[in-house]
Protein backbone atom coordinates (compact mmCIF):
# COMPACT_ATOMS: atom_id res chain seq x y z
CA UNK A 1 0.00 0.00 0.00
CA UNK A 2 1.13 3.46 -0.78
CA UNK A 3 -0.68 6.54 0.42
CA UNK A 4 -0.80 8.78 -2.63
CA UNK A 5 -0.46 12.53 -2.86
CA UNK A 6 -4.25 12.82 -2.73
CA UNK A 7 -4.46 11.30 0.75
CA UNK A 8 -1.39 13.04 2.13
CA UNK A 9 -2.42 16.45 0.81
CA UNK A 10 -5.99 16.02 2.08
CA UNK A 11 -4.72 15.29 5.61
CA UNK A 12 -2.22 18.16 5.44
CA UNK A 13 -4.89 20.60 4.23
CA UNK A 14 -7.30 19.53 6.97
CA UNK A 15 -4.62 20.04 9.63
CA UNK A 16 -3.96 23.50 8.24
CA UNK A 17 -7.69 24.29 8.17
CA UNK A 18 -8.05 23.18 11.79
CA UNK A 19 -5.12 25.34 12.88
CA UNK A 20 -6.36 28.47 11.13
CA UNK A 21 -10.16 28.42 11.34
CA UNK A 22 -10.29 30.04 14.79
CA UNK A 23 -10.24 33.47 13.12
CA UNK A 24 -12.91 32.58 10.56
CA UNK A 25 -13.24 30.68 7.29
CA UNK A 26 -9.94 29.61 5.75
CA UNK A 27 -9.30 30.28 2.08
CA UNK A 28 -7.85 27.64 -0.20
CA UNK A 29 -5.34 30.28 -1.33
CA UNK A 30 -4.11 30.54 2.26
CA UNK A 31 -3.76 26.77 2.61
CA UNK A 32 -2.06 26.67 -0.79
CA UNK A 33 0.49 29.27 0.24
CA UNK A 34 1.26 27.71 3.62
CA UNK A 35 1.38 24.09 2.46
CA UNK A 36 2.64 24.48 -1.12
CA UNK A 37 -0.35 22.66 -2.65
CA UNK A 38 -1.94 24.12 -5.78
CA UNK A 39 -5.31 25.82 -5.38
CA UNK A 40 -6.72 23.74 -8.24
CA UNK A 41 -5.77 20.51 -6.46
CA UNK A 42 -7.18 21.80 -3.16
CA UNK A 43 -10.47 22.62 -4.92
CA UNK A 44 -10.75 18.99 -6.03
CA UNK A 45 -9.97 17.69 -2.55
CA UNK A 46 -12.29 20.09 -0.74
CA UNK A 47 -15.13 19.27 -3.11
CA UNK A 48 -14.88 15.65 -1.95
CA UNK A 49 -14.41 16.62 1.70
CA UNK A 50 -17.51 18.82 1.50
CA UNK A 51 -19.60 16.03 -0.06
CA UNK A 52 -18.61 13.77 2.85
CA UNK A 53 -19.62 16.52 5.32
CA UNK A 54 -16.16 17.00 6.75
CA UNK A 55 -15.99 20.70 5.78
CA UNK A 56 -18.46 23.50 5.08
CA UNK A 57 -17.94 26.22 2.52
CA UNK A 58 -18.70 29.82 3.40
CA UNK A 59 -19.43 32.04 0.40
CA UNK A 60 -18.81 35.73 -0.04
CA UNK A 61 -16.12 38.17 1.03
CA UNK A 62 -13.99 36.63 3.74
CA UNK A 63 -15.37 33.21 2.80
CA UNK A 64 -13.55 29.94 2.71
CA UNK A 65 -13.87 26.66 4.55
CA UNK A 66 -14.46 25.58 8.12
CA UNK A 67 -14.76 22.14 9.65
CA UNK A 68 -18.29 20.74 9.50
CA UNK A 69 -17.87 19.27 12.99
CA UNK A 70 -15.39 19.21 15.81
CA UNK A 71 -11.83 18.19 15.03
CA UNK A 72 -11.85 15.53 17.74
CA UNK A 73 -14.64 13.69 15.89
CA UNK A 74 -12.81 13.62 12.54
CA UNK A 75 -10.15 10.95 12.06
CA UNK A 76 -7.38 10.54 9.53
CA UNK A 77 -9.33 7.57 8.15
CA UNK A 78 -12.37 9.82 7.58
CA UNK A 79 -10.24 12.22 5.57
CA UNK A 80 -8.43 9.58 3.53
CA UNK A 81 -11.61 7.70 2.67
CA UNK A 82 -13.43 10.96 1.84
CA UNK A 83 -11.01 11.65 -1.00
CA UNK A 84 -11.41 8.10 -2.32
CA UNK A 85 -7.95 6.99 -1.31
CA UNK A 86 -7.69 3.20 -1.47
CA UNK A 87 -6.04 1.63 1.56
CA UNK A 88 -5.41 -1.94 0.56
CA UNK A 89 -2.14 -3.86 0.48
CA UNK A 90 -3.62 -7.04 -0.97
CA UNK A 91 -2.92 -7.80 -4.59
CA UNK A 92 -6.58 -8.59 -5.24
CA UNK A 93 -8.13 -5.51 -3.64
CA UNK A 94 -9.48 -7.65 -0.80
CA UNK A 95 -11.56 -9.83 -3.12
CA UNK A 96 -9.67 -13.04 -2.40
CA UNK A 97 -9.02 -13.82 -6.05
CA UNK A 98 -5.31 -13.03 -6.10
CA UNK A 99 -3.98 -16.44 -7.11
CA UNK A 100 -4.80 -17.49 -10.63
CA UNK A 101 -7.74 -15.11 -10.59
CA UNK A 102 -10.06 -17.24 -8.49
CA UNK A 103 -8.52 -18.19 -5.14
CA UNK A 104 -6.64 -16.47 -2.33
CA UNK A 105 -2.86 -16.35 -2.60
CA UNK A 106 -0.90 -17.97 0.22
CA UNK A 107 -0.11 -14.59 1.81
CA UNK A 108 -3.60 -13.07 1.41
CA UNK A 109 -4.53 -13.31 5.11
CA UNK A 110 -1.30 -11.58 6.14
CA UNK A 111 -1.99 -8.57 3.88
CA UNK A 112 -5.69 -8.48 4.79
CA UNK A 113 -4.70 -8.37 8.46
CA UNK A 114 -2.27 -5.54 7.76
CA UNK A 115 -5.09 -3.62 6.06
CA UNK A 116 -7.15 -3.91 9.24
CA UNK A 117 -4.25 -2.66 11.40
CA UNK A 118 -3.64 0.33 9.15
CA UNK A 119 -7.31 1.30 9.14
CA UNK A 120 -7.58 0.78 12.91
CA UNK A 121 -4.62 3.09 13.45
CA UNK A 122 -5.90 5.80 11.10
CA UNK A 123 -9.32 5.61 12.79
CA UNK A 124 -7.63 6.14 16.17
CA UNK A 125 -5.93 9.43 15.23
CA UNK A 126 -8.24 12.44 15.53
CA UNK A 127 -7.64 15.62 13.55
CA UNK A 128 -7.56 17.61 16.79
CA UNK A 129 -4.46 15.74 17.89
CA UNK A 130 -2.70 16.29 14.58
CA UNK A 131 -3.44 19.99 14.56
CA UNK A 132 -1.45 20.45 17.76
CA UNK A 133 1.56 18.11 17.70
CA UNK A 134 2.58 14.65 16.65
CA UNK A 135 -0.04 12.06 17.69
CA UNK A 136 0.62 10.51 21.09
CA UNK A 137 0.56 7.02 19.57
CA UNK A 138 3.33 8.03 17.18
CA UNK A 139 5.27 9.62 20.05
CA UNK A 140 5.24 6.30 21.89
CA UNK A 141 6.63 4.52 18.85
CA UNK A 142 9.40 6.99 17.98
CA UNK A 143 9.94 8.72 21.32
CA UNK A 144 9.64 12.36 20.33
CA UNK A 145 7.32 15.26 21.00
CA UNK A 146 8.22 17.34 17.96
CA UNK A 147 5.58 18.77 15.69
CA UNK A 148 4.60 16.99 12.54
CA UNK A 149 7.03 17.38 9.70
CA UNK A 150 4.40 17.57 6.97
CA UNK A 151 2.29 20.33 8.49
CA UNK A 152 3.62 23.83 9.00
CA UNK A 153 2.93 25.21 12.49
CA UNK A 154 0.35 27.95 12.93
CA UNK A 155 1.79 31.42 12.73
Amino acid sequence: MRLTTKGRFAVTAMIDLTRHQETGPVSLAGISERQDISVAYLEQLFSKLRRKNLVKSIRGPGGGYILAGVASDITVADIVFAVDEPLDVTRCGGNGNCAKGSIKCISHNLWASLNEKIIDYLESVPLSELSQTMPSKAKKKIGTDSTLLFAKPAE
Side-chain angles (χ1 to χ4, degrees):
M1 179 208 86
R2 186 172 164 262
L3 189 61
T4 66
T5 302
K6 184 173 21 173
R8 285 185 289 116
F9 281 0
V11 172
T12 299
M14 288 290 282
I15 294 168
D16 186 276
L17 174 67
T18 304
R19 288 181 172 183
H20 292 93
Q21 73 172 2
E22 292 173 5
T23 58
V26 179
S27 72
L28 294 184
I31 296 172
S32 173
E33 184 178 313
R34 288 186 295 272
Q35 302 305 327
D36 197 26
I37 305 169
S38 78
V39 172
Y41 201 70
L42 287 169
E43 287 171 347
Q44 294 173 27
L45 294 175
F46 274 75
S47 173
K48 292 180 179 192
L49 293 166
R50 188 176 41 77
R51 276 183 270 162
K52 295 292 184 177
N53 296 316
L54 295 180
V55 297
K56 290 181 185 177
S57 62
I58 308 297
R59 297 182 181 269
Y65 287 88
I66 59 172
L67 293 179
V70 279
S72 59
D73 291 341
I74 300 171
T75 67
V76 173
D78 295 330
I79 298 165
V80 170
F81 291 134
V83 295
D84 303 321
E85 182 71 29
L87 290 176
D88 190 350
V89 295
T90 62
R91 188 169 61 175
C92 62
N95 296 322
N97 59 354
C98 32
K100 299 183 181 179
S102 62
I103 59 173
K104 290 180 184 178
C105 65
I106 59 175
S107 60
H108 178 86
N109 291 341
L110 169 69
W111 305 125
S113 178
L114 179 58
N115 283 344
E116 291 175 21
K117 301 278 188 215
I118 292 168
I119 292 168
D120 287 347
Y121 175 71
L122 295 179
E123 287 176 339
S124 75
V125 181
L127 183 58
S128 58
E129 199 171 308
L130 290 173
S131 67
Q132 296 167 18
T133 59
M134 186 173 290
S136 58
K137 290 185 181 193
K139 286 181 200 175
K140 291 176 190 170
K141 293 195 187 277
I142 63 173
T144 181
D145 62 355
S146 62
T147 59
L148 289 171
L149 298 176
F150 60 85
K152 295 180 182 176
E155 299 171 341

